[in-house]
């Protein structure tokens, strides 16, 4: 069971891991699942959810999704943020295999 929001640039999704899609159509609690920058990553290869550099956009999209669920389904669910991790640049040595 999940919900998602897509803008021209961003794709943001949450899921309810304790729910069964065959038996449950919604949840009162969701967990952040993914965030993709469709402009920089059109093939959705790099999940940005939880990276501290994207915290502002994640908060904004979380709020927009909550509002949309409220409008459509009549309730505002709790969305649990992903665990924050640093956005460090990855470095690979030419000698690594």
């Amino acid at each position: 069971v999940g919900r998602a929001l897509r803008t021209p640039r961003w794709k943001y999704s949450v899921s309810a891991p304790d729910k069964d899609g065959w038996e449950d159509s919604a949840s009162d609690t969701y967990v952040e699942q993914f965030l993709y920058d469709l402009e920089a990553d059109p093939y959705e290869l790099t999940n940005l959810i939880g990276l501290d550099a994207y915290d502002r956009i994640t908060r904004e999209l979380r709020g927009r999704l909550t509002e949309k669920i409220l409008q459509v389904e009549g309730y505002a669910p709790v969305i649990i943020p992903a665990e924050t991790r640093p956005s460090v640049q990855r470095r690979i040595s030419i000698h690594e295999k």
Side-chain angles (χ1 to χ4, degrees), residues 1-5 12-34 65 68-69 72-73 75 77-79:
V1 175
R3 300 291 183 265
L5 181 70
Y12 171 77
S13 176
V14 298
S15 67
D18 61 331
K19 299 291 182 180
D20 180 347
W22 289 104
E23 297 183 21
D24 304 302
S25 62
S27 179
D28 57 354
T29 305
Y30 293 95
V31 177
E32 289 180 331
Q33 185 178 19
F34 60 75
L65 181 58
K68 185 57 78 176
I69 293 170
V72 174
E73 299 181 27
Y75 72 98
V78 173
I79 297 177

PDB file of all heavy atoms in Angstrom, residues 1-5 12-34 65 68-69 72-73 75 77-79:
ATOM      1  N   VAL A   1       0.864  -1.165   0.000  1.00  0.00           N
ATOM      2  CA  VAL A   1       0.000   0.000   0.000  1.00  0.00           C
ATOM      3  C   VAL A   1       0.903   1.218   0.000  1.00  0.00           C
ATOM      4  O   VAL A   1       1.799   1.328   0.838  1.00  0.00           O
ATOM      5  CB  VAL A   1      -0.926   0.013   1.236  1.00  0.00           C
ATOM      6  CG1 VAL A   1      -1.732   1.278   1.295  1.00  0.00           C
ATOM      7  CG2 VAL A   1      -1.832  -1.205   1.226  1.00  0.00           C
ATOM      8  N   GLY A   2       0.697   2.103  -0.935  1.00  0.00           N
ATOM      9  CA  GLY A   2       1.552   3.272  -1.018  1.00  0.00           C
ATOM     10  C   GLY A   2       0.836   4.456  -1.640  1.00  0.00           C
ATOM     11  O   GLY A   2      -0.278   4.339  -2.157  1.00  0.00           O
ATOM     12  N   ARG A   3       1.504   5.578  -1.567  1.00  0.00           N
ATOM     13  CA  ARG A   3       1.023   6.815  -2.178  1.00  0.00           C
ATOM     14  C   ARG A   3       2.242   7.504  -2.780  1.00  0.00           C
ATOM     15  O   ARG A   3       3.364   7.349  -2.288  1.00  0.00           O
ATOM     16  CB  ARG A   3       0.367   7.737  -1.149  1.00  0.00           C
ATOM     17  CG  ARG A   3      -0.847   7.138  -0.441  1.00  0.00           C
ATOM     18  CD  ARG A   3      -2.016   6.998  -1.416  1.00  0.00           C
ATOM     19  NE  ARG A   3      -3.225   6.498  -0.792  1.00  0.00           N
ATOM     20  CZ  ARG A   3      -3.594   5.222  -0.765  1.00  0.00           C
ATOM     21  NH1 ARG A   3      -2.819   4.294  -1.294  1.00  0.00           N
ATOM     22  NH2 ARG A   3      -4.724   4.856  -0.210  1.00  0.00           N
ATOM     23  N   ALA A   4       2.020   8.275  -3.842  1.00  0.00           N
ATOM     24  CA  ALA A   4       3.136   8.963  -4.492  1.00  0.00           C
ATOM     25  C   ALA A   4       2.674  10.315  -5.015  1.00  0.00           C
ATOM     26  O   ALA A   4       1.487  10.541  -5.241  1.00  0.00           O
ATOM     27  CB  ALA A   4       3.692   8.122  -5.633  1.00  0.00           C
ATOM     28  N   LEU A   5       3.648  11.168  -5.216  1.00  0.00           N
ATOM     29  CA  LEU A   5       3.418  12.495  -5.778  1.00  0.00           C
ATOM     30  C   LEU A   5       4.486  12.716  -6.839  1.00  0.00           C
ATOM     31  O   LEU A   5       5.673  12.462  -6.594  1.00  0.00           O
ATOM     32  CB  LEU A   5       3.533  13.555  -4.677  1.00  0.00           C
ATOM     33  CG  LEU A   5       3.302  14.998  -5.076  1.00  0.00           C
ATOM     34  CD1 LEU A   5       1.829  15.212  -5.394  1.00  0.00           C
ATOM     35  CD2 LEU A   5       3.714  15.917  -3.946  1.00  0.00           C
ATOM     36  N   TYR A  12       8.149  11.396  -5.597  1.00  0.00           N
ATOM     37  CA  TYR A  12       8.252  11.137  -4.156  1.00  0.00           C
ATOM     38  C   TYR A  12       7.227  10.072  -3.795  1.00  0.00           C
ATOM     39  O   TYR A  12       6.077  10.145  -4.233  1.00  0.00           O
ATOM     40  CB  TYR A  12       7.975  12.436  -3.400  1.00  0.00           C
ATOM     41  CG  TYR A  12       7.820  12.298  -1.908  1.00  0.00           C
ATOM     42  CD1 TYR A  12       8.934  12.132  -1.083  1.00  0.00           C
ATOM     43  CD2 TYR A  12       6.574  12.357  -1.321  1.00  0.00           C
ATOM     44  CE1 TYR A  12       8.782  12.021   0.285  1.00  0.00           C
ATOM     45  CE2 TYR A  12       6.421  12.255   0.054  1.00  0.00           C
ATOM     46  CZ  TYR A  12       7.534  12.083   0.850  1.00  0.00           C
ATOM     47  OH  TYR A  12       7.390  11.979   2.207  1.00  0.00           O
ATOM     48  N   SER A  13       7.636   9.084  -3.015  1.00  0.00           N
ATOM     49  CA  SER A  13       6.720   7.997  -2.685  1.00  0.00           C
ATOM     50  C   SER A  13       6.871   7.563  -1.231  1.00  0.00           C
ATOM     51  O   SER A  13       7.957   7.629  -0.651  1.00  0.00           O
ATOM     52  CB  SER A  13       6.999   6.796  -3.591  1.00  0.00           C
ATOM     53  OG  SER A  13       6.190   5.704  -3.224  1.00  0.00           O
ATOM     54  N   VAL A  14       5.742   7.111  -0.689  1.00  0.00           N
ATOM     55  CA  VAL A  14       5.699   6.555   0.656  1.00  0.00           C
ATOM     56  C   VAL A  14       4.985   5.209   0.581  1.00  0.00           C
ATOM     57  O   VAL A  14       4.231   4.944  -0.353  1.00  0.00           O
ATOM     58  CB  VAL A  14       4.970   7.493   1.645  1.00  0.00           C
ATOM     59  CG1 VAL A  14       5.710   8.817   1.770  1.00  0.00           C
ATOM     60  CG2 VAL A  14       3.523   7.730   1.230  1.00  0.00           C
ATOM     61  N   SER A  15       5.234   4.350   1.554  1.00  0.00           N
ATOM     62  CA  SER A  15       4.564   3.054   1.589  1.00  0.00           C
ATOM     63  C   SER A  15       4.185   2.708   3.016  1.00  0.00           C
ATOM     64  O   SER A  15       4.715   3.277   3.971  1.00  0.00           O
ATOM     65  CB  SER A  15       5.458   1.963   1.001  1.00  0.00           C
ATOM     66  OG  SER A  15       6.581   1.764   1.828  1.00  0.00           O
ATOM     67  N   ALA A  16       3.276   1.766   3.142  1.00  0.00           N
ATOM     68  CA  ALA A  16       2.849   1.255   4.446  1.00  0.00           C
ATOM     69  C   ALA A  16       3.286  -0.201   4.516  1.00  0.00           C
ATOM     70  O   ALA A  16       2.555  -1.100   4.083  1.00  0.00           O
ATOM     71  CB  ALA A  16       1.340   1.391   4.602  1.00  0.00           C
ATOM     72  N   PRO A  17       4.477  -0.464   5.032  1.00  0.00           N
ATOM     73  CA  PRO A  17       5.024  -1.821   4.985  1.00  0.00           C
ATOM     74  C   PRO A  17       4.226  -2.852   5.785  1.00  0.00           C
ATOM     75  O   PRO A  17       4.325  -4.040   5.515  1.00  0.00           O
ATOM     76  CB  PRO A  17       6.445  -1.661   5.536  1.00  0.00           C
ATOM     77  CG  PRO A  17       6.451  -0.377   6.267  1.00  0.00           C
ATOM     78  CD  PRO A  17       5.374   0.484   5.664  1.00  0.00           C
ATOM     79  N   ASP A  18       3.422  -2.406   6.739  1.00  0.00           N
ATOM     80  CA  ASP A  18       2.651  -3.353   7.546  1.00  0.00           C
ATOM     81  C   ASP A  18       1.275  -3.647   6.956  1.00  0.00           C
ATOM     82  O   ASP A  18       0.496  -4.395   7.529  1.00  0.00           O
ATOM     83  CB  ASP A  18       2.507  -2.835   8.976  1.00  0.00           C
ATOM     84  CG  ASP A  18       1.773  -1.509   9.047  1.00  0.00           C
ATOM     85  OD1 ASP A  18       1.843  -0.736   8.073  1.00  0.00           O
ATOM     86  OD2 ASP A  18       1.131  -1.240  10.074  1.00  0.00           O
ATOM     87  N   LYS A  19       0.970  -3.073   5.795  1.00  0.00           N
ATOM     88  CA  LYS A  19      -0.322  -3.288   5.149  1.00  0.00           C
ATOM     89  C   LYS A  19      -0.186  -4.243   3.967  1.00  0.00           C
ATOM     90  O   LYS A  19       0.870  -4.370   3.362  1.00  0.00           O
ATOM     91  CB  LYS A  19      -0.915  -1.964   4.656  1.00  0.00           C
ATOM     92  CG  LYS A  19      -1.182  -0.965   5.762  1.00  0.00           C
ATOM     93  CD  LYS A  19      -2.319  -1.426   6.638  1.00  0.00           C
ATOM     94  CE  LYS A  19      -2.612  -0.394   7.709  1.00  0.00           C
ATOM     95  NZ  LYS A  19      -3.700  -0.781   8.574  1.00  0.00           N
ATOM     96  N   ASP A  20      -1.278  -4.914   3.643  1.00  0.00           N
ATOM     97  CA  ASP A  20      -1.334  -5.850   2.530  1.00  0.00           C
ATOM     98  C   ASP A  20      -2.203  -5.235   1.438  1.00  0.00           C
ATOM     99  O   ASP A  20      -3.378  -4.939   1.668  1.00  0.00           O
ATOM    100  CB  ASP A  20      -1.945  -7.161   3.018  1.00  0.00           C
ATOM    101  CG  ASP A  20      -2.058  -8.220   1.934  1.00  0.00           C
ATOM    102  OD1 ASP A  20      -1.888  -7.884   0.741  1.00  0.00           O
ATOM    103  OD2 ASP A  20      -2.327  -9.380   2.278  1.00  0.00           O
ATOM    104  N   GLY A  21      -1.642  -5.050   0.262  1.00  0.00           N
ATOM    105  CA  GLY A  21      -2.359  -4.426  -0.834  1.00  0.00           C
ATOM    106  C   GLY A  21      -3.614  -5.165  -1.258  1.00  0.00           C
ATOM    107  O   GLY A  21      -4.510  -4.580  -1.847  1.00  0.00           O
ATOM    108  N   TRP A  22      -3.709  -6.442  -0.962  1.00  0.00           N
ATOM    109  CA  TRP A  22      -4.906  -7.209  -1.302  1.00  0.00           C
ATOM    110  C   TRP A  22      -6.042  -6.960  -0.314  1.00  0.00           C
ATOM    111  O   TRP A  22      -7.210  -7.109  -0.650  1.00  0.00           O
ATOM    112  CB  TRP A  22      -4.593  -8.704  -1.338  1.00  0.00           C
ATOM    113  CG  TRP A  22      -3.754  -9.076  -2.515  1.00  0.00           C
ATOM    114  CD1 TRP A  22      -2.418  -9.364  -2.501  1.00  0.00           C
ATOM    115  CD2 TRP A  22      -4.163  -9.171  -3.877  1.00  0.00           C
ATOM    116  NE1 TRP A  22      -1.972  -9.627  -3.766  1.00  0.00           N
ATOM    117  CE2 TRP A  22      -3.039  -9.522  -4.639  1.00  0.00           C
ATOM    118  CE3 TRP A  22      -5.370  -8.987  -4.529  1.00  0.00           C
ATOM    119  CZ2 TRP A  22      -3.084  -9.700  -6.004  1.00  0.00           C
ATOM    120  CZ3 TRP A  22      -5.421  -9.175  -5.901  1.00  0.00           C
ATOM    121  CH2 TRP A  22      -4.281  -9.523  -6.627  1.00  0.00           C
ATOM    122  N   GLU A  23      -5.671  -6.593   0.910  1.00  0.00           N
ATOM    123  CA  GLU A  23      -6.689  -6.444   1.952  1.00  0.00           C
ATOM    124  C   GLU A  23      -6.880  -5.009   2.430  1.00  0.00           C
ATOM    125  O   GLU A  23      -7.920  -4.676   2.981  1.00  0.00           O
ATOM    126  CB  GLU A  23      -6.339  -7.340   3.137  1.00  0.00           C
ATOM    127  CG  GLU A  23      -6.339  -8.809   2.780  1.00  0.00           C
ATOM    128  CD  GLU A  23      -6.075  -9.705   3.960  1.00  0.00           C
ATOM    129  OE1 GLU A  23      -6.269  -9.271   5.098  1.00  0.00           O
ATOM    130  OE2 GLU A  23      -5.678 -10.855   3.713  1.00  0.00           O
ATOM    131  N   ASP A  24      -5.875  -4.167   2.235  1.00  0.00           N
ATOM    132  CA  ASP A  24      -5.934  -2.792   2.729  1.00  0.00           C
ATOM    133  C   ASP A  24      -5.808  -1.817   1.569  1.00  0.00           C
ATOM    134  O   ASP A  24      -4.924  -1.959   0.726  1.00  0.00           O
ATOM    135  CB  ASP A  24      -4.796  -2.539   3.723  1.00  0.00           C
ATOM    136  CG  ASP A  24      -4.799  -3.529   4.881  1.00  0.00           C
ATOM    137  OD1 ASP A  24      -5.823  -3.589   5.577  1.00  0.00           O
ATOM    138  OD2 ASP A  24      -3.795  -4.230   5.063  1.00  0.00           O
ATOM    139  N   SER A  25      -6.666  -0.817   1.537  1.00  0.00           N
ATOM    140  CA  SER A  25      -6.590   0.171   0.458  1.00  0.00           C
ATOM    141  C   SER A  25      -5.874   1.445   0.888  1.00  0.00           C
ATOM    142  O   SER A  25      -5.535   2.280   0.057  1.00  0.00           O
ATOM    143  CB  SER A  25      -7.992   0.526  -0.028  1.00  0.00           C
ATOM    144  OG  SER A  25      -8.740   1.108   1.019  1.00  0.00           O
ATOM    145  N   ALA A  26      -5.643   1.606   2.193  1.00  0.00           N
ATOM    146  CA  ALA A  26      -5.003   2.816   2.705  1.00  0.00           C
ATOM    147  C   ALA A  26      -4.361   2.506   4.055  1.00  0.00           C
ATOM    148  O   ALA A  26      -4.496   1.408   4.581  1.00  0.00           O
ATOM    149  CB  ALA A  26      -6.023   3.939   2.850  1.00  0.00           C
ATOM    150  N   SER A  27      -3.689   3.505   4.582  1.00  0.00           N
ATOM    151  CA  SER A  27      -3.048   3.379   5.888  1.00  0.00           C
ATOM    152  C   SER A  27      -3.098   4.728   6.583  1.00  0.00           C
ATOM    153  O   SER A  27      -3.154   5.767   5.927  1.00  0.00           O
ATOM    154  CB  SER A  27      -1.601   2.922   5.733  1.00  0.00           C
ATOM    155  OG  SER A  27      -0.962   2.820   6.977  1.00  0.00           O
ATOM    156  N   ASP A  28      -3.038   4.711   7.900  1.00  0.00           N
ATOM    157  CA  ASP A  28      -2.968   5.982   8.626  1.00  0.00           C
ATOM    158  C   ASP A  28      -1.520   6.389   8.865  1.00  0.00           C
ATOM    159  O   ASP A  28      -1.249   7.489   9.306  1.00  0.00           O
ATOM    160  CB  ASP A  28      -3.747   5.922   9.934  1.00  0.00           C
ATOM    161  CG  ASP A  28      -3.287   4.801  10.850  1.00  0.00           C
ATOM    162  OD1 ASP A  28      -2.429   3.995  10.429  1.00  0.00           O
ATOM    163  OD2 ASP A  28      -3.783   4.724  11.979  1.00  0.00           O
ATOM    164  N   THR A  29      -0.579   5.485   8.542  1.00  0.00           N
ATOM    165  CA  THR A  29       0.845   5.765   8.701  1.00  0.00           C
ATOM    166  C   THR A  29       1.614   5.228   7.502  1.00  0.00           C
ATOM    167  O   THR A  29       1.418   4.087   7.092  1.00  0.00           O
ATOM    168  CB  THR A  29       1.396   5.108   9.984  1.00  0.00           C
ATOM    169  OG1 THR A  29       0.625   5.547  11.103  1.00  0.00           O
ATOM    170  CG2 THR A  29       2.856   5.475  10.205  1.00  0.00           C
ATOM    171  N   TYR A  30       2.484   6.077   6.965  1.00  0.00           N
ATOM    172  CA  TYR A  30       3.333   5.697   5.846  1.00  0.00           C
ATOM    173  C   TYR A  30       4.792   5.989   6.190  1.00  0.00           C
ATOM    174  O   TYR A  30       5.075   6.801   7.062  1.00  0.00           O
ATOM    175  CB  TYR A  30       2.954   6.470   4.581  1.00  0.00           C
ATOM    176  CG  TYR A  30       1.597   6.122   4.034  1.00  0.00           C
ATOM    177  CD1 TYR A  30       0.481   6.880   4.364  1.00  0.00           C
ATOM    178  CD2 TYR A  30       1.432   5.040   3.188  1.00  0.00           C
ATOM    179  CE1 TYR A  30      -0.772   6.566   3.866  1.00  0.00           C
ATOM    180  CE2 TYR A  30       0.180   4.713   2.675  1.00  0.00           C
ATOM    181  CZ  TYR A  30      -0.912   5.481   3.024  1.00  0.00           C
ATOM    182  OH  TYR A  30      -2.154   5.164   2.522  1.00  0.00           O
ATOM    183  N   VAL A  31       5.693   5.343   5.472  1.00  0.00           N
ATOM    184  CA  VAL A  31       7.130   5.542   5.632  1.00  0.00           C
ATOM    185  C   VAL A  31       7.683   6.004   4.284  1.00  0.00           C
ATOM    186  O   VAL A  31       7.316   5.448   3.244  1.00  0.00           O
ATOM    187  CB  VAL A  31       7.825   4.224   6.069  1.00  0.00           C
ATOM    188  CG1 VAL A  31       9.328   4.404   6.172  1.00  0.00           C
ATOM    189  CG2 VAL A  31       7.238   3.717   7.372  1.00  0.00           C
ATOM    190  N   GLU A  32       8.553   7.001   4.296  1.00  0.00           N
ATOM    191  CA  GLU A  32       9.143   7.479   3.041  1.00  0.00           C
ATOM    192  C   GLU A  32       9.917   6.351   2.369  1.00  0.00           C
ATOM    193  O   GLU A  32      10.676   5.639   3.007  1.00  0.00           O
ATOM    194  CB  GLU A  32      10.066   8.664   3.297  1.00  0.00           C
ATOM    195  CG  GLU A  32       9.301   9.913   3.669  1.00  0.00           C
ATOM    196  CD  GLU A  32      10.179  11.105   3.927  1.00  0.00           C
ATOM    197  OE1 GLU A  32      11.339  10.935   4.361  1.00  0.00           O
ATOM    198  OE2 GLU A  32       9.696  12.226   3.715  1.00  0.00           O
ATOM    199  N   GLN A  33       9.688   6.228   1.063  1.00  0.00           N
ATOM    200  CA  GLN A  33      10.301   5.143   0.308  1.00  0.00           C
ATOM    201  C   GLN A  33      11.338   5.639  -0.693  1.00  0.00           C
ATOM    202  O   GLN A  33      12.438   5.123  -0.758  1.00  0.00           O
ATOM    203  CB  GLN A  33       9.216   4.355  -0.417  1.00  0.00           C
ATOM    204  CG  GLN A  33       9.698   3.148  -1.145  1.00  0.00           C
ATOM    205  CD  GLN A  33       8.551   2.398  -1.794  1.00  0.00           C
ATOM    206  OE1 GLN A  33       7.459   2.936  -1.990  1.00  0.00           O
ATOM    207  NE2 GLN A  33       8.804   1.155  -2.130  1.00  0.00           N
ATOM    208  N   PHE A  34      10.970   6.631  -1.527  1.00  0.00           N
ATOM    209  CA  PHE A  34      11.955   7.131  -2.482  1.00  0.00           C
ATOM    210  C   PHE A  34      11.685   8.564  -2.910  1.00  0.00           C
ATOM    211  O   PHE A  34      10.576   9.074  -2.785  1.00  0.00           O
ATOM    212  CB  PHE A  34      12.083   6.222  -3.709  1.00  0.00           C
ATOM    213  CG  PHE A  34      10.835   6.034  -4.530  1.00  0.00           C
ATOM    214  CD1 PHE A  34      10.373   7.025  -5.376  1.00  0.00           C
ATOM    215  CD2 PHE A  34      10.145   4.842  -4.484  1.00  0.00           C
ATOM    216  CE1 PHE A  34       9.247   6.842  -6.150  1.00  0.00           C
ATOM    217  CE2 PHE A  34       9.012   4.641  -5.257  1.00  0.00           C
ATOM    218  CZ  PHE A  34       8.564   5.653  -6.088  1.00  0.00           C
ATOM    219  N   LEU A  65       2.003  15.956  -0.313  1.00  0.00           N
ATOM    220  CA  LEU A  65       1.349  14.651  -0.394  1.00  0.00           C
ATOM    221  C   LEU A  65       0.321  14.491   0.725  1.00  0.00           C
ATOM    222  O   LEU A  65      -0.790  14.010   0.496  1.00  0.00           O
ATOM    223  CB  LEU A  65       2.378  13.517  -0.346  1.00  0.00           C
ATOM    224  CG  LEU A  65       1.804  12.102  -0.453  1.00  0.00           C
ATOM    225  CD1 LEU A  65       1.005  11.910  -1.740  1.00  0.00           C
ATOM    226  CD2 LEU A  65       2.919  11.075  -0.351  1.00  0.00           C
ATOM    227  N   LYS A  68      -2.731  16.420  -0.237  1.00  0.00           N
ATOM    228  CA  LYS A  68      -3.467  15.759  -1.317  1.00  0.00           C
ATOM    229  C   LYS A  68      -4.250  14.564  -0.778  1.00  0.00           C
ATOM    230  O   LYS A  68      -5.408  14.360  -1.158  1.00  0.00           O
ATOM    231  CB  LYS A  68      -2.502  15.320  -2.417  1.00  0.00           C
ATOM    232  CG  LYS A  68      -3.170  14.732  -3.632  1.00  0.00           C
ATOM    233  CD  LYS A  68      -4.179  15.659  -4.273  1.00  0.00           C
ATOM    234  CE  LYS A  68      -3.522  16.721  -5.094  1.00  0.00           C
ATOM    235  NZ  LYS A  68      -4.503  17.572  -5.811  1.00  0.00           N
ATOM    236  N   ILE A  69      -3.651  13.781   0.116  1.00  0.00           N
ATOM    237  CA  ILE A  69      -4.366  12.649   0.717  1.00  0.00           C
ATOM    238  C   ILE A  69      -5.555  13.155   1.528  1.00  0.00           C
ATOM    239  O   ILE A  69      -6.646  12.593   1.472  1.00  0.00           O
ATOM    240  CB  ILE A  69      -3.422  11.784   1.577  1.00  0.00           C
ATOM    241  CG1 ILE A  69      -2.379  11.096   0.688  1.00  0.00           C
ATOM    242  CG2 ILE A  69      -4.210  10.741   2.378  1.00  0.00           C
ATOM    243  CD1 ILE A  69      -1.260  10.404   1.453  1.00  0.00           C
ATOM    244  N   VAL A  72      -8.353  14.102  -0.959  1.00  0.00           N
ATOM    245  CA  VAL A  72      -8.958  12.985  -1.682  1.00  0.00           C
ATOM    246  C   VAL A  72      -9.575  11.945  -0.750  1.00  0.00           C
ATOM    247  O   VAL A  72     -10.677  11.455  -0.995  1.00  0.00           O
ATOM    248  CB  VAL A  72      -7.910  12.318  -2.606  1.00  0.00           C
ATOM    249  CG1 VAL A  72      -8.457  11.059  -3.256  1.00  0.00           C
ATOM    250  CG2 VAL A  72      -7.437  13.305  -3.658  1.00  0.00           C
ATOM    251  N   GLU A  73      -8.862  11.604   0.319  1.00  0.00           N
ATOM    252  CA  GLU A  73      -9.294  10.502   1.169  1.00  0.00           C
ATOM    253  C   GLU A  73      -9.956  10.961   2.470  1.00  0.00           C
ATOM    254  O   GLU A  73     -10.518  10.149   3.196  1.00  0.00           O
ATOM    255  CB  GLU A  73      -8.110   9.584   1.462  1.00  0.00           C
ATOM    256  CG  GLU A  73      -7.531   8.980   0.190  1.00  0.00           C
ATOM    257  CD  GLU A  73      -6.363   8.049   0.433  1.00  0.00           C
ATOM    258  OE1 GLU A  73      -6.279   7.436   1.530  1.00  0.00           O
ATOM    259  OE2 GLU A  73      -5.526   7.914  -0.474  1.00  0.00           O
ATOM    260  N   TYR A  75      -8.555  12.291   5.271  1.00  0.00           N
ATOM    261  CA  TYR A  75      -7.771  12.220   6.501  1.00  0.00           C
ATOM    262  C   TYR A  75      -6.320  12.558   6.173  1.00  0.00           C
ATOM    263  O   TYR A  75      -5.892  12.429   5.028  1.00  0.00           O
ATOM    264  CB  TYR A  75      -7.850  10.822   7.140  1.00  0.00           C
ATOM    265  CG  TYR A  75      -7.087   9.764   6.368  1.00  0.00           C
ATOM    266  CD1 TYR A  75      -5.804   9.399   6.753  1.00  0.00           C
ATOM    267  CD2 TYR A  75      -7.636   9.169   5.239  1.00  0.00           C
ATOM    268  CE1 TYR A  75      -5.095   8.456   6.034  1.00  0.00           C
ATOM    269  CE2 TYR A  75      -6.935   8.232   4.521  1.00  0.00           C
ATOM    270  CZ  TYR A  75      -5.669   7.870   4.920  1.00  0.00           C
ATOM    271  OH  TYR A  75      -4.964   6.952   4.200  1.00  0.00           O
ATOM    272  N   PRO A  77      -2.674  11.413   6.919  1.00  0.00           N
ATOM    273  CA  PRO A  77      -1.873  10.349   7.524  1.00  0.00           C
ATOM    274  C   PRO A  77      -0.575  10.893   8.113  1.00  0.00           C
ATOM    275  O   PRO A  77      -0.134  11.997   7.793  1.00  0.00           O
ATOM    276  CB  PRO A  77      -1.564   9.434   6.343  1.00  0.00           C
ATOM    277  CG  PRO A  77      -1.483  10.369   5.192  1.00  0.00           C
ATOM    278  CD  PRO A  77      -2.550  11.409   5.468  1.00  0.00           C
ATOM    279  N   VAL A  78       0.042  10.093   8.940  1.00  0.00           N
ATOM    280  CA  VAL A  78       1.379  10.378   9.446  1.00  0.00           C
ATOM    281  C   VAL A  78       2.362   9.808   8.433  1.00  0.00           C
ATOM    282  O   VAL A  78       2.226   8.653   8.018  1.00  0.00           O
ATOM    283  CB  VAL A  78       1.607   9.714  10.829  1.00  0.00           C
ATOM    284  CG1 VAL A  78       3.048   9.861  11.268  1.00  0.00           C
ATOM    285  CG2 VAL A  78       0.642  10.284  11.845  1.00  0.00           C
ATOM    286  N   ILE A  79       3.327  10.619   8.020  1.00  0.00           N
ATOM    287  CA  ILE A  79       4.384  10.135   7.134  1.00  0.00           C
ATOM    288  C   ILE A  79       5.687  10.184   7.923  1.00  0.00           C
ATOM    289  O   ILE A  79       6.135  11.256   8.322  1.00  0.00           O
ATOM    290  CB  ILE A  79       4.486  10.968   5.847  1.00  0.00           C
ATOM    291  CG1 ILE A  79       3.184  10.842   5.052  1.00  0.00           C
ATOM    292  CG2 ILE A  79       5.684  10.511   5.011  1.00  0.00           C
ATOM    293  CD1 ILE A  79       3.139  11.670   3.788  1.00  0.00           C
TER     294      ILE A  79
END
